[in-house]
């Protein structure tokens, strides 16, 4: 068994928390989503993003390496009468097909080597919604391992070539008790000629 699967299965089995909320990059920018099309929530976890995308009217695929998370998402989707194609899948060895997606959402998952595959997976005009933790934090939150933390402005570099529609990264500026801290968010559109 893949070691990440065992780790995440254990986390989701032991976790007894309130229903997860969709990521801010979706909550704040939901109005930018198309009304139809194919969306993928990559490394979806319990799938709060997937549920929002399905409620928006998109055809949603949700992939995660943890079968425990996917089972819980299937239950949630059934309870909320949402259709979500939830699948246990190692996205590093089986990334999305080229030109298959209108919307790609990635939150709290960073595999730099996958950036080219993710760019390729978007159709022309497709939208990327990305949000994850940064190295420059104002308080301890998210992973400690810098390999899983974004460098300054790194999302812009990883997805250079896309048209930036929304970008937020406050870093260590100003009053640390205010604002949206510790993470970076990007909404970007694939140009028709890429
Ligand atoms: C921090 S959680 C984020 C979950 C969700 N995207 C969110 O924001 O709540 C990271 C997720 O990545 C998944 N994951 C880790 N490695 C993976 C892989 N190789 N393929 C698919 N999913 C993976 C884990 O199972 C876990 O659900």
């Amino acid at each position: 068994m893949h070691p990440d699967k065992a780790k995440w299965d254990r986390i989701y089995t032991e976790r007894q928390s309130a229903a997860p909320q969709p990521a801010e990059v979706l909550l704040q920018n939901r109005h930018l989503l198309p009304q139809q099309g194919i969306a993928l929530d990559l490394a979806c976890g319990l799938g709060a993003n997937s549920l929002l995308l399905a409620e928006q009217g998109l055809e949603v695929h949700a992939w995660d390496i943890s079968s425990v998370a996917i089972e819980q998402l299937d239950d949630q989707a059934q309870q909320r009468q949402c259709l979500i194609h939830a699948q246990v899948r190692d996205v590093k060895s089986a990334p999305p097909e080229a030109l298959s997606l209108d919307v790609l959402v990635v939150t709290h998952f960073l595999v730099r080597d996958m950036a080219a595959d993710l760019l390729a997976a978007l159709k022309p005009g497709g939208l990327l919604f990305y949000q994850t933790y940064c190295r420059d934090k104002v308080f301890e939150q998210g992973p400690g391992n810098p390999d899983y933390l974004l460098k300054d402005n790194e999302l812009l570099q990883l997805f250079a070539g896309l048209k930036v529609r929304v970008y937020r990264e406050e870093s260590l500026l100003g009053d640390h008790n205010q604002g949206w801290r510790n993470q970076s968010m990007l909404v970007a559109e694939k140009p028709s000629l890429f």
Side-chain angles (χ1 to χ4, degrees):
M1 191 198 288
H2 194 296
D4 288 349
K5 174 172 167 29
K7 179 184 108 175
W8 283 102
D9 276 349
R10 194 175 57 251
I11 289 172
Y12 288 118
T13 302
E14 289 170 0
R15 188 176 286 181
Q16 300 283 334
S17 53
Q21 294 302 306
E24 281 297 314
V25 69
L26 276 179
L27 291 173
Q28 291 181 20
N29 303 296
R30 184 176 182 160
H31 60 288
L32 301 179
L33 286 167
Q35 308 248 308
Q36 56 187 20
I38 299 176
L40 171 63
D41 184 4
L42 185 100
C44 59
L46 298 176
N49 297 331
S50 305
L51 292 161
L52 180 150
L53 294 166
E55 284 163 7
Q56 174 78 13
L58 295 162
E59 179 183 333
V60 181
H61 297 261
W63 300 345
D64 199 281
I65 203 167
S66 165
S67 52
V68 176
I70 291 297
E71 276 167 28
Q72 291 187 27
L73 173 55
D74 274 334
D75 287 350
Q76 268 297 313
Q78 218 171 349
Q79 276 175 36
R80 289 162 68 159
Q81 299 187 317
C82 286
L83 176 63
I84 292 176
H85 307 285
Q87 190 186 337
V88 178
R89 176 156 164 163
D90 176 353
V91 302
K92 292 188 206 169
S93 57
E97 300 280 305
L99 301 176
S100 59
L101 303 174
D102 298 289
V103 173
L104 171 59
V105 176
V106 189
T107 63
H108 308 127
F109 181 75
L110 181 61
V111 178
R112 293 172 173 86
D113 293 350
M114 288 190 68
D117 287 323
L118 300 186
L119 284 168
L122 287 170
K123 297 179 191 173
L127 294 180
L128 173 68
F129 289 73
Y130 210 119
Q131 174 186 328
T132 199
Y133 294 103
C134 298
R135 290 186 186 179
D136 288 333
K137 304 178 195 185
V138 300
F139 56 88
E140 223 25 74
Q141 190 184 23
N145 182 344
D147 291 348
Y148 301 127
L149 297 169
L150 291 165
K151 296 177 217 155
D152 207 12
N153 274 211
E154 190 177 359
L155 281 182
L156 295 175
Q157 289 154 22
L158 286 174
F159 299 106
L162 297 186
K163 294 192 263 189
V164 176
R165 298 306 184 203
V166 174
Y167 186 71
R168 188 162 184 188
E169 180 182 334
E170 298 187 355
S171 189
L172 305 177
L173 294 178
D175 179 352
H176 290 183
N177 295 312
Q178 296 197 51
W180 187 75
R181 299 293 181 162
N182 303 342
Q183 300 190 56
S184 174
M185 70 163 71
L186 171 71
V187 181
E189 181 183 356
K190 190 171 190 178
S192 38
L193 290 177
F194 185 79

